[in-house]
Amino acid sequence: MTPEERSASRSGWAVGIATAAYGISFGALATASGLDVWQACVLSLVMFSGGSQFALIGVLASGGVAAGGTAIASAALLGVRNSFYALRLSRVIGRGFWRRTAAVQLTIDESTAVATAQTEPRAQRIGFWVTGLVVYIGWNLMTLAGALLGNLIGDVRAYGLDAAAAAAFLGLLWPRLKARQTQAVAVAAAFVATLLTPFLMPGLPVLAAAVVAIVVGVLNLFGRRDEPPHPEAIPMEREVEP
């Protein structure tokens, strides 16, 4: 295994563990919002998208069963972003029906971030699978623990697990914010999402922020038309052999 591949594996474990630990918060909040233990666990097993899961139980907690339609809509809107990740990671995953089928469930924020942070094709693949599997297994185990413990663990937000996961994610993205165009996208997207969050249903601010990146990319704002592609982006366009 090359140094690049070992680094991808370490990053996958680090981000995976930090993210999975926050699953205990979801389990506790899910049961507090009215779900049974088995319902919380099935939700993590099947949906497996932290943002969508928290949006779902958040709406259910505020409106009960009557808010089911709104809860599903909010969760679905947040989950739309994963389809964009799938387009980006298609070449990294490689060919094969079963491989791609398994990758569908593991295509999340964290696995995408670790994969795209690597510069070598095989390291990208290792980063994706290690991160995705660690988060999936850990998140589901922590969901079960949180659902079983419930109120015994107190206010789960006090442990700062959400901050740990966000810090790990930011640590991956920070080295990629080198170009002026990338920095502009990050600032503008964060501003738009923050501005719209109090007024729109969960999921829409994320999609609106994604539009910022699309507009900047299509119009090539803040970028030079004659400059070559950034080296970090090139490997993502190569076909990765199985």
Side-chain angles (χ1 to χ4, degrees), residues 90-171:
S90 177
R91 294 180 181 273
V92 173
I93 302 305
R95 301 185 181 92
F97 173 78
W98 294 113
R99 177 184 297 175
R100 287 177 177 265
T101 300
V104 168
Q105 189 71 347
L106 302 181
T107 301
I108 54 176
D109 297 333
E110 292 77 16
S111 60
T112 301
V114 174
T116 56
Q118 314 308 315
T119 57
E120 295 297 327
R122 181 169 170 77
Q124 292 167 357
R125 178 179 291 177
I126 290 174
F128 173 84
W129 288 109
V130 170
T131 308
L133 288 171
V134 171
V135 174
Y136 187 78
I137 295 172
W139 181 269
N140 281 283
L141 290 175
M142 290 297 99
T143 294
L144 176 60
L148 290 174
L149 293 174
N151 293 331
L152 295 178
I153 59 178
D155 186 356
V156 291
R157 292 171 295 184
Y159 296 101
L161 297 176
D162 54 339
F169 192 79
L170 181 60

Side-chain angles (χ1 to χ4, degrees), residues 23-24 26-31 36-38 40-41 142-151:
I24 197 170
F26 171 75
L29 292 175
T31 53
D36 295 331
V37 172
W38 73 269
C41 291
M142 290 297 99
T143 294
L144 176 60
L148 290 174
L149 293 174
N151 293 331

Side-chain angles (χ1 to χ4, degrees), residues 47 52 55-56 70-82 202-203 207:
M47 181 178 287
S52 296
L56 180 67
T70 303
I72 293 173
S74 299
L77 285 172
L78 276 170
V80 167
R81 71 190 189 281
N82 291 351
L207 296 180

Side-chain angles (χ1 to χ4, degrees), residues 165-199:
F169 192 79
L170 181 60
L172 283 171
L173 296 180
W174 190 261
R176 300 180 67 81
L177 301 179
K178 298 176 181 178
R180 180 175 58 180
Q181 188 179 66
T182 308
Q183 296 167 356
V185 169
V187 172
F191 175 77
V192 168
T194 303
L195 183 67
L196 296 179
T197 294
F199 307 104

